Amino acid sequence: MKIDFVILWVDGSDPKWIKDKEKYVEKSVNGSESDNRFRDWDNLKYWFRGVEKYTPWVNKIHFITYGHLPKWLNQNNEKLNIVKHEDIIDKKYLPTFNSNVIELNMHKINGLEEHFVAFNDDMFICNKMEEKDFFSNEGLPMDECVQNVIISYGNKDQIAHACLNNIDIINRNFSKRAVMKENMFKFINVKYGVRNFRTLFLLPWYAFTGFYNPHLPVAHLKSTFNNVFNVEGEYIEKMFKNKFRKSDDISHWVMRYWNLCSGNFCPRRSSIGKYFDASDENTDICKAIESEKVKLLCINDSSTNYDFDKAKLEINGAFENLFPEKSTFEI
């Protein structure tokens, strides 16, 4: 079984990209165009070093970009495939600054394997991982199926709105009662620990109210993307016109939810990764990086209320301690 990795990256300092962004930013009123969503932490090289050191078995890395590339990137690496937005997205929707639009077109990458893992550039591999951490021996995505309640924090909370739109698709196509009856021991599983209580407390609701999202890389099946687009493609593609995230967006998590409700997954422990928000105090993040006890790490940059340069120096210093040597993906 070949497994590919897919990662999205943007250079927020590229003059051409900035010029394109400014053409549309006034039309956006939801705040998703804020600069902190696109600023560069200068730590992408550590993502590649982690992949090479801890997942040498990966088949291909598909690097999705607006067109710009890091100066240090070795484009001749045989495992690297550079994918520009126009390679997978209809030109009538370009340029786009909406990661949801880009991620929902990942399955169109030329040469993409059936089994692939979707990363954001804030998700790092920090310990040895095996294929079975992402896919079972039968080729099913490894995942944590925990039901949840969607909570919105106002009109600017595009993630919550996207999750609600995802669930709208799920409830149109699945009966919760039938799904739970057929896959009870995948929905209630010892590997989920105390999070099982979320699912148990939501059992009385006749429809799905949401799923818990670990904010970690997602193991996907290309065939699921094709199946969902065959059924709901017209509904999904309406949001491709959104240059930035908006409340009517759908995210690639809908493909994950579809697999969960279809029973096309294998339960996985939540302890495989950790999620952090960068802030003025990053001791726990640095310890998690350098300890090598956590396999997957997500370091989110969702706030502007902290000293970005200080946090960047501290966190990148921890990554440098863990990955002091260049990878073959660097010149």
Side-chain angles (χ1 to χ4, degrees):
M1 180 173 55
K2 294 180 179 179
I3 300 174
D4 287 351
F5 287 173
V6 177
I7 181 170
L8 281 64
W9 181 76
V10 63
D11 179 3
S13 64
D14 179 5
K16 186 178 183 303
W17 178 87
I18 293 173
K19 186 177 180 180
D20 279 347
K21 176 174 173 276
E22 289 177 346
K23 290 179 184 177
Y24 299 95
V25 75
E26 292 181 1
K27 300 177 183 179
S28 176
V29 294
N30 59 21
S32 68
E33 73 281 1
S34 132
D35 287 341
N36 72 297
R37 284 196 47 76
F38 304 103
R39 59 190 178 188
D40 191 1
W41 278 76
D42 294 321
N43 55 17
L44 183 67
K45 61 185 178 183
Y46 301 118
W47 183 87
F48 280 100
R49 292 180 189 184
V51 168
E52 185 163 274
K53 181 177 181 179
Y54 293 128
T55 58
W57 44 262
V58 67
N59 177 58
K60 282 279 187 181
I61 296 172
H62 302 279
F63 188 76
I64 302 180
T65 169
Y66 162 88
H68 38 231
L69 295 169
K71 294 180 180 179
W72 49 262
L73 188 64
N74 176 15
Q75 300 178 47
N76 296 319
N77 190 298
E78 61 182 9
K79 284 192 174 185
L80 183 64
N81 178 35
I82 306 297
V83 182
K84 296 182 180 180
H85 292 174
E86 57 261 35
D87 295 333
I88 57 175
I89 302 173
D90 193 309
K91 63 181 180 181
K92 67 183 176 183
Y93 301 123
L94 295 176
T96 186
F97 311 92
N98 188 337
S99 59
N100 289 324
V101 173
I102 301 168
E103 288 168 332
L104 281 167
N105 284 279
M106 290 186 291
H107 63 298
K108 298 176 184 176
I109 295 174
N110 186 32
L112 180 70
E113 291 291 335
E114 163 69 1
H115 301 86
F116 70 97
V117 184
F119 288 78
N120 291 333
D121 63 2
D122 60 357
M123 299 174 179
F124 299 88
I125 297 175
C126 296
N127 201 345
K128 182 180 179 181
M129 301 195 72
E130 300 177 27
E131 294 95 323
K132 65 181 181 181
D133 288 319
F134 295 110
F135 292 95
S136 69
N137 291 334
E138 295 74 32
L140 297 178
M142 302 297 293
D143 210 331
E144 184 179 357
C145 183
V146 175
Q147 291 183 55
N148 205 8
V149 174
I150 299 171
I151 302 174
S152 175
Y153 295 94
N155 293 333
K156 293 185 178 181
D157 190 354
Q158 296 89 24
I159 294 179
H161 284 282
C163 289
L164 181 60
N165 297 330
N166 292 344
I167 288 298
D168 183 37
I169 290 176
I170 293 302
N171 283 325
R172 280 205 303 271
N173 290 277
F174 293 93
S175 161
K176 178 182 176 181
R177 182 170 296 180
V179 168
M180 293 291 294
K181 182 178 180 181
E182 188 171 350
N183 301 289
M184 178 60 72
F185 294 108
K186 286 190 173 184
F187 274 71
I188 306 292
N189 193 283
V190 65
K191 293 183 178 180
Y192 308 150
V194 296
R195 288 179 181 158
N196 280 306
F197 287 110
R198 299 184 187 219
T199 299
L200 291 171
F201 290 146
L202 290 169
L203 283 177
W205 270 258
Y206 73 94
F208 289 108
T209 58
F211 287 98
Y212 176 76
N213 301 300
H215 284 278
L216 293 173
V218 179
H220 278 305
L221 299 174
K222 186 166 67 172
S223 56
T224 299
F225 277 71
N226 292 326
N227 291 339
V228 175
F229 269 91
N230 284 337
V231 178
E232 293 283 355
E234 185 176 349
Y235 176 75
I236 294 173
E237 289 182 16
K238 288 180 180 178
M239 52 79 59
F240 284 3
K241 66 183 184 297
N242 296 341
K243 298 296 183 184
F244 300 92
R245 287 183 179 178
K246 289 189 176 181
S247 59
D248 61 343
D249 272 11
I250 296 155
S251 77
H252 73 110
W253 286 345
V254 71
M255 307 302 171
R256 173 178 173 256
Y257 300 169
W258 195 280
N259 284 333
L260 297 180
C261 293
S262 301
N264 291 331
F265 76 99
C266 191
R268 180 177 71 182
R269 295 185 184 279
S270 59
S271 57
I272 195 168
K274 283 190 176 183
Y275 170 90
F276 291 98
D277 282 307
S279 66
D280 285 320
E281 177 50 61
N282 299 293
T283 303
D284 289 343
I285 297 177
C286 294
K287 285 183 178 178
I289 293 170
E290 295 177 343
S291 69
E292 294 184 87
K293 292 181 179 179
V294 180
K295 290 185 176 183
L296 293 168
L297 197 64
C298 178
I299 306 173
N300 190 37
D301 182 20
S302 60
S303 173
T304 57
N305 300 320
Y306 69 94
D307 188 336
F308 172 71
D309 291 329
K310 175 178 174 291
K312 179 177 175 178
L313 186 65
E314 292 172 345
I315 293 172
N316 288 358
F319 276 125
E320 183 63 29
N321 289 335
L322 179 60
F323 302 118
E325 300 179 359
K326 284 185 176 183
S327 71
T328 59
F329 294 96
E330 298 170 65
I331 297 174

